[in-house]
Amino acid sequence: MRAKNSKKAASMLVTVMLLSTVLAACGGNNGNKEGGASSSPAASANESSKPVGEKSKVSVWYLWGGAEGEALEQIIKDFNASQDKYLVEGLSVPDEQKIKVAIAGGKGPDLTDSFDFVVPQYAQQGIALPLDDLIARDGYDVSDFVPAALASGNFDGKQYALPLNVNFSVMYYNKKLLADAGFTEPPKTSAELYDVMVKTTKVNSNGTIDVLGSPSYPSEAYLFNALAYGFGSTYVNEDASALTFNNEGTLAAMNMIRDYNTKFGVDNIRQIQASGKWLDPTDPFLIGKQAIRFDGPWLSATIKSKQIDVDYGIAALPYLEGKPETAGSGITGSSIFYIAKTSKNVDGAWEFMKYLYSAEPLAKFLSLMGNVPATKSAMSSPAMKDMVDSDQVIPLTMSPNLKSIPHFAKRSDFDKALAEQLELMYNLKKTPEETMSKLEGVLSATLK
């Protein structure tokens, strides 16, 4: 999600499950799912905070700052004005470890946010409260959520969080750079993509890269998941009981990155990756020095807000050559909200959560940040017209081939091992075949 700048060093890093680091363990329940506050809505009512005036206090901590934090505070203000039972008090706390420790010690917020890759860990450690009883009690309609996004908040058959957005990559392309290289339309297949990557790359007389044809900025790690899933890959099966990583989509992604890095030189690619700051006016795509970019719709919002002069187009990620049935494939993650297991006002947190996820507030909150809401009703809200390029991006979220990686207990170990081994391949220390051989054993162990 484009928001949470202080936290987004990687969703960036959602799509950047590869870059996500494991949050340090803290005290508290030590993984005991039965510890912490009761998950019963009835019990939570008895533990509600003391009234503030005539309203019961609800504490909401969030990782956003700046304009994003201000946008959420406006939603909080609107909620407080909409009813007379609860008073939500928001606080920007851009330190996830601090939030986690506070929750474990019983001194944290009632409601807070994160990225979906923390769901298994927070479920096991008693940080997040299962929402299933609340959903069932109120007959809350979860069918409004995009299925792949809703699944990102589920672990071990329970719903621990609700997704705010559909966090996925689309293909941005520089129209002038493609036209100068003889292309009249963006690539649709993996073969067409590699042809564009090579022919739009411009090399200086000393071998360094002047224009990057590849979507390997900001990094190959940022690229790999999008590329592999765009080619129809999956890493594990739907119930995360078996590894499906060794498939032609994954291997095609590995080979494409390896071939490009071999052809143009790892050091040259690293140099241009270090030449600018992501989503800054120095970003290579924003200064016309990158032909193809895989990124989220926040890139469009950045281009508009910073008044960048670049003639770009948007398209779906290319599919694997010869596999048109995989068109529209991609990987999605989500920013999430969850109720703390030690919340003293579960009912109040749930009421605000339902308000935030209703169509108009969710659309209002996300549209200004260039994020696609995780609910279909919010996507169709008039407020989404304020989101830059919404007419091009939102239809891409409807593809049945858009998937999330199912959660499993050792998901953080899986991501760490994947990142470590792929880094060796990116730097041409190992071949794709050697990398796959190593990963099969390492990753299989994380599913046991």
Side-chain angles (χ1 to χ4, degrees), residues 18-327:
L18 290 179
L19 295 182
S20 36
T21 54
V22 184
L23 295 172
C26 64
N29 297 322
N30 296 319
N32 183 357
K33 294 181 181 179
E34 303 305 319
S38 168
S39 61
S40 165
S44 72
N46 294 329
E47 297 175 359
S48 295
S49 300
K50 294 179 181 180
V52 179
E54 295 183 355
K55 294 187 176 184
S56 179
K57 177 182 173 182
V58 180
S59 175
V60 177
W61 293 5
Y62 50 86
L63 291 155
W64 291 282
E68 292 91 350
E70 291 174 5
L72 183 58
E73 284 291 346
Q74 183 59 55
I75 300 299
I76 290 173
K77 182 179 179 181
D78 293 344
F79 171 75
N80 287 337
S82 73
Q83 46 75 50
D84 57 11
K85 187 173 183 180
Y86 300 106
L87 176 66
V88 173
E89 295 184 348
L91 180 66
S92 176
V93 183
D95 183 340
E96 188 148 15
Q97 183 62 16
K98 180 178 180 179
I99 296 173
K100 182 181 174 184
V101 170
I103 291 173
K107 297 180 180 180
D110 296 302
L111 181 70
T112 188
D113 68 303
S114 187
F115 289 111
D116 69 273
F117 59 76
V118 306
V119 168
Q121 182 189 40
Y122 285 13
Q124 292 173 300
Q125 293 184 350
I127 300 298
L129 178 76
L131 302 175
D132 304 86
D133 288 347
L134 296 165
I135 291 170
R137 183 195 70 184
D138 294 356
Y140 185 68
D141 184 14
V142 295
S143 67
D144 189 32
F145 288 89
V146 173
L150 183 65
S152 71
N154 193 284
F155 173 69
D156 201 22
K158 294 182 179 181
Q159 196 74 33
Y160 286 91
L162 292 180
L164 277 172
N165 61 344
V166 183
N167 192 1
F168 73 118
S169 290
V170 297
M171 181 171 63
Y172 287 81
Y173 59 96
N174 184 301
K175 293 180 179 180
K176 182 178 186 305
L177 292 177
L178 263 66
D180 289 347
F183 297 101
T184 59
E185 59 183 14
K188 294 183 175 64
T189 70
S190 57
E192 291 176 2
L193 172 62
Y194 191 70
D195 190 36
V196 170
M197 287 166 56
V198 171
K199 291 180 179 177
T200 57
T201 299
K202 298 179 181 179
V203 179
N204 297 314
S205 59
N206 62 358
T208 58
I209 295 173
D210 179 50
V211 174
L212 183 69
S214 167
S216 55
Y217 179 90
S219 70
E220 289 94 347
Y222 190 73
L223 164 67
F224 182 79
N225 280 331
L227 197 63
Y229 266 71
F231 290 168
S233 175
T234 59
Y235 295 166
V236 297
N237 63 354
E238 289 186 2
D239 63 0
S241 61
L243 193 70
T244 58
F245 186 75
N246 190 348
N247 60 66
E248 59 183 336
T250 307
L251 283 168
M254 287 183 176
N255 278 295
M256 183 173 291
I257 292 174
R258 188 275 314 271
D259 291 348
Y260 187 85
N261 287 10
T262 299
K263 185 175 184 64
F264 294 102
V266 171
D267 290 343
N268 294 327
I269 293 168
R270 297 290 173 267
Q271 183 176 343
I272 199 165
Q273 287 171 343
S275 67
K277 184 179 179 182
W278 182 68
L279 298 182
D280 180 83
T282 61
D283 183 314
F285 188 83
L286 302 184
I287 61 174
K289 295 290 186 179
Q290 184 180 22
I292 298 287
R293 173 74 156 264
F294 291 176
D295 218 327
W298 44 82
L299 181 58
S300 296
T302 298
I303 291 170
K304 179 180 180 180
S305 66
K306 296 186 177 179
Q307 299 181 324
I308 304 295
D309 183 17
V310 57
D311 187 14
Y312 68 92
I314 293 175
L317 300 181
Y319 59 85
L320 190 62
E321 186 73 21
K323 298 284 185 177
E325 67 275 12
T326 66

Side-chain angles (χ1 to χ4, degrees), residues 71 74-75 78 359-368 381 383-384:
Q74 183 59 55
I75 300 299
D78 293 344
E360 295 307 314
L362 189 60
K364 178 180 179 180
F365 180 43
L366 295 181
S367 63
L368 299 180
S381 166
M384 288 311 300

Side-chain angles (χ1 to χ4, degrees), residues 305-354:
S305 66
K306 296 186 177 179
Q307 299 181 324
I308 304 295
D309 183 17
V310 57
D311 187 14
Y312 68 92
I314 293 175
L317 300 181
Y319 59 85
L320 190 62
E321 186 73 21
K323 298 284 185 177
E325 67 275 12
T326 66
S329 291
I331 185 171
T332 182
S334 296
S335 291
I336 59 169
F337 265 99
Y338 66 92
I339 297 176
K341 189 74 176 285
T342 54
S343 167
K344 296 179 176 61
N345 197 343
V346 170
D347 288 337
W350 176 238
E351 286 304 312
F352 175 67
M353 203 172 182
K354 289 190 295 183

